[in-house]
Amino acid sequence: MDQLLITGGNRLSGEIPIAGAKNAALPILCAGLLTSDTVALSNVPHLQDVATMLKLLGQMGLAIERNGDAITLDGAAVDKLEAPYEMVKTMRAAILVLGPLVARFGEARVSLPGGCAIGSRPVDQHIKGLQAMGAEIAIEAGYIHAKAKRLRGTRIVTDMITVTGTENLLMAATLADGETVLENAAREPEVTDLANLLVAMGAKISGIGTDRLVVQGVERLHGASHTVIADRIETGTFLCAAAAAGGDVMLTNTRSDILDVALDKLREAGAIITSGPDWIRLQMAARPRAVSFRTTEYPGFPTDMQAQFMALNCIADGASHVSETIFENRFMHVQELNRLGAAITIDGHTAIVQGVDKLVGAPVMATDLRASASLVIAGLAAEGQTLVDRIYHLDRGYDRMEAKLCAVGADIQRVKA
Ligand SMILES: CC(=O)N[C@H]1[C@@H](OP(=O)(O)OP(=O)(O)OC[C@H]2O[C@@H](n3ccc(=O)[nH]c3=O)[C@H](O)[C@@H]2O)O[C@H](CO)[C@@H](O)[C@@H]1O
Ligand SMILES: C=C(OP(=O)(O)O)C(=O)O
């Protein structure tokens, strides 16, 4: 099993190219199931989750051609309408095949994802929405069986804002009979990116970017070309790394307008941030100041950046309060950060971080994707060596993170356990 051996203390300086967004690429790949034509994608990141999704879609009969960051999908021969447990357990986003399969083929058999390290993460809203559209759904032996001759448009109000729930129902609604209104829809940029591809495929969607999506179902969707949006979480992660380690980095092929709150927090922490249409530069010369925040849905502070900012707060001047409102158990990194000398206590959904003068390297274990990223950031700022175990979590969502960091001066080696 791969591990990362980080020797801390180096400042970061130079350019880091940002990849396409994992959380946009995954639903967008599933949209390939909605048509028998060709969907041509560019800026698709090289991630373990993307490889898992391509394997699953390939098993279903989707023809896939990959050439670097470009992927072409052809849905003419899709005939296996199933996502088995072996796939879904390694990548929850596999649930995103449910909506497209029922909408185009009238049937799907998808394993229930179950819980994961950050929370119980049910998919009841995906099911509730499809049922409201007329699908008959049975849960048997851990699988969701969904059937519908043709989905029909209706008004759906989800109990809470759900990102993949909105994406699943949006994809389903494109081929439904009549009008579907999705109230309380997620406004994440990745939902917007998916919606833009669907429109390019012939879907009729209004309200894109708002919490009320209105879809007029069409008989069929056609092929289209699309470039996946930049990964705002990868962007934010590297900005936190440079803010924690100190330095001057230029992130390219990214956008600042989808990361406003996180950029404001970095400024509050003392970073100088400038940006252009496709780049963000961060300069950090002093010890960071502690910043408090509360995670919320977009455009609020992203839960997927909580752990990385927590790492920054560990070495900051002052104390901070970090409240997690999206997932009930997203503090698994706290005990590991404390192993490096951080002073964090947890009170319910809030972590109280007392900044310390320095962290000292130690062996630590990654528990989920962003927890892994926070341990890398802490390791870069720590004195001595930090060995991060179980980095398969990291590889799910970052494309060669250690290579990108080494290119700007970090000392990180990928080693075998
Ligand atoms: C592949 C992808 O895009 N993953 C992102 C997506 O996950 P994901 O789409 O799984 O997260 P959701 O937005 O659905 O979850 C938000 C909250 O709603 C709850 N919930 C959700 C659906 C449901 O049917 N029932 C229910 O109770 C969840 O348990 C959670 O507490 O959004 C999360 C919140 O921004 C991000 O952290 C993930 O990186
Ligand atoms: C929680 C995340 O992803 P997923 O929903 O795929 O588990 C994430 O990207 O931080």
Side-chain angles (χ1 to χ4, degrees), residues 5 15 27 32 40 74 77 79-80 91 100 112 116 132-133 165 188 198 205 236 297 314 351 354 366 369 417:
L5 180 62
E15 192 176 312
D74 186 319
D79 60 355
K80 189 155 177 286
M91 187 194 55
L112 277 166
C116 74
M133 295 170 87
E188 267 64 7
L198 294 171
I205 307 172
E297 294 87 1
C314 288
Q354 183 61 57
L369 169 55

Side-chain angles (χ1 to χ4, degrees), residues 2-193:
D2 286 5
Q3 301 173 319
L4 290 184
L5 180 62
I6 306 168
T7 305
N10 291 4
R11 291 171 68 78
L12 304 183
S13 167
E15 192 176 312
I16 306 179
I18 298 300
K22 163 178 93 69
N23 288 351
L26 297 176
I28 279 172
L29 289 170
C30 294
L33 293 170
L34 285 165
T35 176
S36 56
D37 293 347
T38 298
V39 174
L41 304 172
S42 50
N43 205 32
V44 183
H46 291 259
L47 305 172
Q48 190 50 50
D49 269 10
V50 167
T52 307
M53 186 63 89
L54 291 176
K55 186 170 170 198
L56 171 64
L57 295 172
Q59 283 176 2
M60 291 177 169
L62 198 78
I64 301 162
E65 269 179 43
R66 179 155 206 167
N67 186 4
D69 292 349
I71 290 185
T72 306
L73 307 170
D74 186 319
V78 173
D79 60 355
K80 189 155 177 286
L81 312 176
E82 177 174 314
Y85 178 60
E86 297 68 53
M87 291 287 174
V88 184
K89 76 176 181 197
T90 58
M91 187 194 55
R92 301 179 49 80
I95 190 74
L96 286 162
V97 302
L98 182 62
L101 287 181
V102 187
R104 181 168 158 216
F105 300 99
E107 201 176 342
R109 186 169 179 271
V110 178
S111 170
L112 277 166
C116 74
I118 64 177
S120 62
R121 306 186 73 182
V123 289
D124 54 302
Q125 300 303 306
H126 305 231
I127 293 171
K128 166 181 147 169
L130 289 173
Q131 280 172 330
M133 295 170 87
E136 275 175 36
I137 296 192
I139 310 287
E140 281 164 18
Y143 277 77
I144 305 167
H145 291 254
K147 275 193 178 170
K149 258 205 179 105
R150 185 170 179 201
L151 294 171
R152 50 171 195 271
T154 187
R155 179 168 172 266
I156 301 167
V157 188
T158 47
D159 299 11
M160 79 289 294
I161 299 174
T162 155
V163 174
T164 50
T166 301
E167 292 164 346
N168 237 337
L169 298 177
L170 178 65
M171 288 191 277
T174 58
L175 291 178
D177 186 16
E179 179 180 278
T180 304
V181 180
L182 299 177
E183 306 271 11
N184 207 19
R187 289 181 288 162
E188 267 64 7
E190 294 76 22
V191 178
T192 296
D193 204 34

Side-chain angles (χ1 to χ4, degrees), residues 116-361:
C116 74
I118 64 177
S120 62
R121 306 186 73 182
V123 289
D124 54 302
Q125 300 303 306
H126 305 231
I127 293 171
K128 166 181 147 169
L130 289 173
Q131 280 172 330
M133 295 170 87
E136 275 175 36
I137 296 192
I139 310 287
E140 281 164 18
Y143 277 77
I144 305 167
H145 291 254
K147 275 193 178 170
K149 258 205 179 105
R150 185 170 179 201
L151 294 171
R152 50 171 195 271
T154 187
R155 179 168 172 266
I156 301 167
V157 188
T158 47
D159 299 11
M160 79 289 294
I161 299 174
T162 155
V163 174
T164 50
T166 301
E167 292 164 346
N168 237 337
L169 298 177
L170 178 65
M171 288 191 277
T174 58
L175 291 178
D177 186 16
E179 179 180 278
T180 304
V181 180
L182 299 177
E183 306 271 11
N184 207 19
R187 289 181 288 162
E188 267 64 7
E190 294 76 22
V191 178
T192 296
D193 204 34
L194 169 67
N196 288 338
L197 165 67
L198 294 171
V199 168
M201 292 168 73
K204 294 197 162 51
I205 307 172
S206 60
I208 294 175
T210 75
D211 61 359
R212 187 170 191 271
L213 295 168
V214 181
V215 187
Q216 307 293 339
V218 294
E219 289 288 332
R220 63 180 297 276
L221 295 177
H222 51 71
S225 302
H226 183 78
T227 301
V228 176
I229 193 175
D231 197 318
R232 64 193 165 102
I233 307 301
E234 187 196 22
T235 304
T237 301
F238 287 127
L239 292 174
C240 278
D248 183 351
V249 293
M250 168 75 103
L251 307 192
T252 55
N253 196 26
T254 188
R255 279 168 53 174
S256 60
D257 61 325
I258 50 176
L259 209 59
D260 290 300
V261 176
L263 294 182
D264 286 346
K265 284 290 158 196
L266 286 165
R267 288 190 182 99
E268 201 182 315
I272 297 169
I273 295 179
T274 45
S275 62
D278 61 355
W279 57 268
I280 305 175
R281 180 180 179 192
L282 177 142
Q283 294 162 280
M284 190 74 169
R287 180 181 179 188
R289 289 190 290 272
V291 287
S292 294
F293 60 89
R294 181 172 173 272
T295 64
T296 56
E297 294 87 1
Y298 188 83
F301 191 99
T303 175
D304 292 350
M305 285 302 307
Q306 180 252 106
Q308 301 90 315
F309 270 81
M310 179 108 66
L312 182 63
N313 275 333
C314 288
I315 47 139
D317 185 12
S320 56
H321 283 63
V322 172
S323 296
E324 172 60 53
T325 77
I326 306 291
F327 293 110
E328 69 270 22
N329 192 29
R330 211 173 191 179
F331 282 145
M332 299 284 280
H333 40 286
V334 164
Q335 291 313 321
E336 300 302 304
L337 290 168
N338 282 347
R339 285 180 47 71
L340 299 174
I344 313 171
T345 51
I346 298 175
D347 181 8
H349 292 294
T350 300
I352 299 129
V353 188
Q354 183 61 57
V356 294
D357 288 340
K358 63 170 190 183
L359 297 175
V360 179

